[in-house]
Structures are given as structure tokens and as C-alpha cells.
Amino acid sequence: WDIFRFVSQSSKFIKPPQIPFLASPSNTVKKRVAPGETLWTPSSSQNLFNFAPLDDVVMGGASSSTVDNNTGLWRGTVTDANNGGFVGIRSTPFKNGLSLNMSSCKGVELRLRLGDGKRFKFVVRDDTSFNGICWTTEFDATAGEGGNGLAGLIGTSARNESNDKNTTIRIPFANQTPTIFARTVSGNTFDVTNVVGFQVAYSKFAFDNELNQNFELGDFALQILEVRTY
């Protein structure tokens, strides 16, 4: 178990504890978001957050991935060593402690490239807890040319999309599945007025010990070109 990589990854998403008598009152501001607003795009200074890796090292695994916030390229290698088998990226805490009121939106729209037909998960979070409920939706990336897409990345950028098609995926809030560690949980209601994070995962597991039918161990790549509301 790589404890140093575990600390390096998990620390990006956990706020340090506050000393009670020095803690300032909560000043979380809810930003109302309208349909059609861009929430994240590569290298934009307007982004409220960045993405950072959160791989199966947090469970003792050995899979590894990296994400480039200047291009949106997420890539890595998945292994089932040490009972692992997943990689992920998660949004860092929103700037200025913001949360998003998305009550006027139906969901989130992703513009993607690469992925080679593999099945990923998109997660919306309405709680800042590190291991809180993941409001999860599975989606399949478009199968493009160039195998897993890695060969087609050489000499390209986020805006050079000639080797692989862009695809747009819609994540409707109404169809999300509440999960914790890929197990479904009941008795919960999604708080669309308090969206505090997003996550993308590539895992050998679907839900409740069922296997992902569009998953392969080894190298993968997915490029995120835009996250927006609809």
C-alpha cells in the first residue's frame, strides 16, 4: 500500500480540522446556476474547481491515473492488484467555499473525446464528506479510432479533435443512483440546491458487486472538453 500516494491524493479533497475557538462561522454561499452554463472547461480561469486523481490507492489498490487540467486529458493504468480495480478524478473544493443551487437545471452535460467505448461513472455530490453519498450515473464513451486512444494523443491538444469524435453525454438528475463504495443505498434524497462536487470513475464494478461489462484492465484515456448544465 502506497501510503504517501494515498495522503497526496486524499488531502486535496479534505479540509483540515478547525480549532473550535478559532473557527469562523460558516459562510457557505450558494451560487444559483442556470441551464446552459459552463461549469468547467480546460485551462479556463473561470473554473470554480480543478480535477485531481482519486484512485484505488485509497482502498489499498495499485491503479494509477493523472489528469491535465490544461487539456482535460485523464489517462492511466488500471490493475486489480491488491484487490483494486478502479481509477477516478474528483473536483477539488469549489472556490470561495461555494456550493451550487442547480434547481433550475435538469442535469449535467459532458462533452468528451476518446474513451474507446468503455463504461464510466459520473458522480454528483451534495455533501462535502469524503466518503459521502455518490449520486451516480453510468455512461459509455464513444468507440473511436486508434484503439484505446493513446496513440492518437501524440501531437494533439484539447482542440485538435480530428482523430476521434467528440461525444456529448447527458447526466439527468432524475436518473441518478445513490451509492457508497459502489453499493446502492436507500432512504436518501438528492439535494439539487447544494451541489458541492463532481467525479468521474472507471471501475471494474458496476453496482452491488455486479461487474462493468465494458471494462478492461490496462491503459485507458478519456478527455473532458466541457462540463455544463442543461
Side-chain angles (χ1 to χ4, degrees):
W1 183 38
D2 190 341
I3 189 172
F4 297 105
R5 192 157 65 92
F6 165 75
V7 172
S8 174
Q9 289 196 359
S10 61
S11 63
K12 294 181 174 65
F13 313 102
I14 301 175
K15 293 182 179 180
Q18 292 184 315
I19 302 173
F21 63 85
L22 293 179
S24 58
S26 175
N27 61 349
T28 299
V29 176
K30 292 190 177 184
K31 171 182 169 64
R32 182 174 289 275
V33 179
E37 287 193 36
T38 296
L39 302 177
W40 185 91
T41 191
S43 72
S44 173
S45 61
Q46 303 302 310
N47 291 337
L48 293 176
F49 58 88
N50 283 321
F51 284 110
L54 190 65
D55 303 323
D56 61 15
V57 66
V58 299
M59 304 290 288
S63 302
S64 178
S65 72
T66 61
V67 61
D68 184 344
N69 282 279
N70 291 317
T71 64
L73 178 60
W74 174 39
R75 65 194 300 180
T77 304
V78 189
T79 173
D80 57 5
N82 300 339
N83 296 314
F86 71 88
V87 289
I89 52 174
R90 182 168 170 174
S91 58
T92 55
F94 295 169
K95 290 180 180 178
N96 302 318
L98 287 176
S99 68
L100 304 181
N101 180 347
M102 302 180 70
S103 56
S104 62
C105 306
K106 293 182 178 180
V108 176
E109 188 174 273
L110 310 175
R111 190 162 60 91
L112 308 168
R113 180 171 170 261
L114 307 176
D116 193 34
K118 293 180 171 65
R119 182 163 297 163
F120 296 83
K121 294 177 181 178
F122 186 79
V123 170
V124 183
R125 290 180 174 268
D126 62 357
D127 186 331
T128 57
S129 300
F130 184 72
N131 289 326
I133 292 175
C134 297
W135 293 92
T136 307
T137 304
E138 293 184 312
F139 68 90
D140 290 344
T142 299
E145 300 175 2
N148 63 12
L150 293 175
L153 294 174
I154 299 174
T156 67
S157 70
R159 303 190 184 281
N160 182 359
E161 299 152 5
S162 60
N163 291 333
D164 294 85
K165 294 181 179 179
N166 288 356
T167 185
T168 299
I169 302 291
R170 283 193 163 182
I171 308 293
F173 293 146
N175 295 346
Q176 297 176 124
T177 300
T179 67
I180 295 179
F181 298 127
R183 294 182 180 274
T184 56
V185 294
S186 59
N188 299 278
T189 301
F190 175 60
D191 187 355
V192 71
T193 70
N194 190 52
V195 173
V196 295
F198 303 103
Q199 197 165 342
V200 187
Y202 180 49
S203 173
K204 70 177 182 181
F205 293 109
F207 301 120
D208 299 324
N209 291 326
E210 293 185 2
L211 295 178
N212 179 351
Q213 298 301 309
N214 290 343
F215 171 84
E216 294 179 353
L217 295 172
D219 296 339
F220 80 98
L222 182 71
Q223 192 170 21
I224 303 171
L225 301 175
E226 187 178 32
V227 180
R228 62 184 293 146
T229 59
Y230 76 91

